[in-house]
Amino acid sequence: MKVLVCVKQVAVLGDEVEFTDDERDVDPDYLDFALNEWDSYATEEALRLVEAAGSGEVVVVSVGDEDMEDGMRRCLAMGADRGIRVEAEGRLDPIQVARALAEVVQSESPDLVFAGVQSSDSVQAATGNALAGLLDLPSVAVVTKIDLGDGKATVNRELEGGLVDVVEVDTPAVITIQTGINEPRYATLRAIKQAEEKEIDMRQAGDLGEPGSRVRKMFVPPKGEGAEMLDGGAAEVAQRIKEIVQEKTA
Amino acid sequence: MSVLVVAEHLRGQVRPITLELISAAKELGEETAVAVIAKDPAALADQVDVEGVNEIVSVQVEQDEFENDVYRQAVEQLIAARSPDVVLVGFTVNGMGYAPALAARLGIGFASDVFALRREGGGLVAERSFYGSKVNAEVEFPGHERTLLMIRPTSWPPAEGDGAAVEAELEVSVTGSRARHSDFQEIAASGDVDITTADFLLSVGRGVGEKENLEQFEGLADKMGATLSVSRPLVDQGWMPNSRQVGQSGKTVKPKVYLALGISGAVQHLAGMKTSGTIIAVNTDPEAAIFNVAHYGAVADLFEVAEELEKLY
Ligand SMILES: Cc1cc2nc3c(=O)[nH]c(=O)nc-3n(C[C@H](O)[C@H](O)[C@H](O)COP(=O)(O)OP(=O)(O)OC[C@H]3O[C@@H](n4cnc5c(N)ncnc54)[C@H](O)[C@@H]3O)c2cc1C
């Protein structure tokens, strides 16, 4: 049982923002980085499936520069066996990332490929599905439960409004994992240390082609028109909240 | 620009996103065609015959409900037959199941979670957000003659009015659906309370930090005469039942007052509460996206505000 998990170190914007000179992105000085929340659920799910199978491996894959390896190390500390990083610089769109991932999937021939539903910094919800398209693999997006069978899996696809679509999917397949599917384990300090020793294989990307889109300009969105800020300390804020609630629920 | 809208339907009903896509198409289109992919498309065609639709293309398939292989193949053949400049699909769970795959296979322009679009010169410009909705961006599609856009739900009003669309049919060949629908299950159907009927919701998010802190807010909600609701991470962690979750995959609510404590304002959360009568948001981050939809906001620590509220009630 071999599960390949596509993971990303996402950018988190703090409470201040400046843009790069060409205005096409946020100045990296204003960004922090962390493992994408969805990807920790995907890694956990892969670990559980391999543990249940009794043998196999979990391989984490990232596309990007060396900073990506921090996120990969987190997954290795959770228990993933090894990593593969496809070297790429600059902003890639999800379709280009999928092209880079496709080469890795082809060389690894896993039984399942997982990706997070979306990454929290770009919210495209596209990489995993684009990958399935390029490789012409069966796929299901936004999955909250997986029961593995023989050559197929029964999965819950979570629709809007809390409705679940129970889907039978042929495997190998690409599945995008939704938060809440499991409870991701914490890595112990020892595991974090051991993860330093695990192998991350670096590969050069082939031709990633044209992006599906390109950012022309980034800007801070206009604030909501009627938004009135309540100033003062907590006591004053609470007092105003009480008044507003009284008035508006009357 | 000719636009092809892919209708979305579930259990015999066209979903609201479809009518929103038709409104979005009006920003661009000289010609808008709506494709209805279903076992019995004729039964759904009426629901999309609204003002602004020039043509309804019925595409008959074997499946009653959405299956991603079926949609991907059918839309690929629709594109080949109609050569639209722009294809509009909902940024919905169904859309996420086939639209990126299609765009990647065809190598066409692509962007998702789009909430504004327009023509500029001969080209297309779309807007979407990045970095936790704190930053918006204009995106363009250089080198692409055809573009597929996934549209954020509730960004356009539903199209209405009587339509006079021409009806057409397209025969497609769909081979082997490898991810098959077998059943629907309601997971958030019922719980101890119905948050959709409450006048006043006190809603808490990940800002509450720990499970142990929730009790305090249950108590506060009681005192204030509010019903407690939550954002998704609290349900994911098993702290609260699904029935309390506000948002796209939870409940859509419209109370008189929605008091959000420690909720950042992710798109999927906003989708479930942005039409509330009065929205009050408390967040330590002055750039939190929730302030973009709030009527009143306070940059403050939620625990300090909660403590003061306790004293007042
Ligand atoms: C397909 C799909 C469906 C989804 N459906 C839903 C849904 O139905 N509902 C939903 O909510 N989400 C949904 N999500 C998840 C969504 O994308 C966000 O991850 C989620 O809404 C974030 O919840 P949050 O705002 O509570 O947490 P965070 O984004 O982590 O925000 C926490 C906020 O608390 C603030 N904070 C921290 N400490 C304090 C303090 N002491 N005082 C004041 N403020 C503080 C922080 O500044 C931050 O803004 C969905 C995602 C996907 C992909």
Side-chain angles (χ1 to χ4, degrees), chain A residues 37-38 117-118 120 123 125 142 158 160 178-179, chain B residues 92-93 96 134 204-209 230-234 236 245-251 261-270 272 282-286 288-290 298 300-304:
Chain A
E37 183 181 357
W38 280 264
V117 166
Q118 63 179 30
S120 59
V123 189
V142 194
E158 189 192 57
E160 288 77 9
Q178 173 64 316
T179 56
Chain B
T92 57
V93 173
M96 291 171 195
K134 289 180 174 181
V204 296
R206 184 143 48 191
V208 299
V230 298
S231 68
R232 178 168 182 126
L234 279 61
D236 284 341
Q245 181 186 320
V246 172
Q248 184 182 297
S249 52
K251 306 277 188 191
L261 305 180
I263 294 177
S264 62
V267 192
Q268 296 97 351
H269 188 82
L270 300 186
V282 177
N283 199 304
T284 40
D285 178 359
I290 188 94
D301 183 285
L302 69 91
F303 295 103
E304 289 174 16

Side-chain angles (χ1 to χ4, degrees), chain A residues 25-82:
Chain A
D25 210 337
V26 168
D27 181 339
D29 285 350
Y30 292 80
L31 297 173
D32 285 329
F33 294 88
L35 177 65
N36 183 37
E37 183 181 357
W38 280 264
D39 301 347
S40 60
Y41 288 92
T43 303
E44 176 66 36
E45 196 63 18
L47 291 169
R48 289 185 189 200
L49 290 181
V50 169
E51 281 159 12
S55 71
E57 64 170 346
V58 174
V59 184
V60 291
V61 188
S62 283
V63 179
D65 60 19
E66 220 180 323
D67 292 339
M68 280 289 158
E69 294 193 5
D70 291 347
M72 301 176 78
R73 294 275 171 215
R74 284 241 356 233
C75 302
L76 294 172
M78 286 172 73
D81 297 282
R82 61 188 168 93

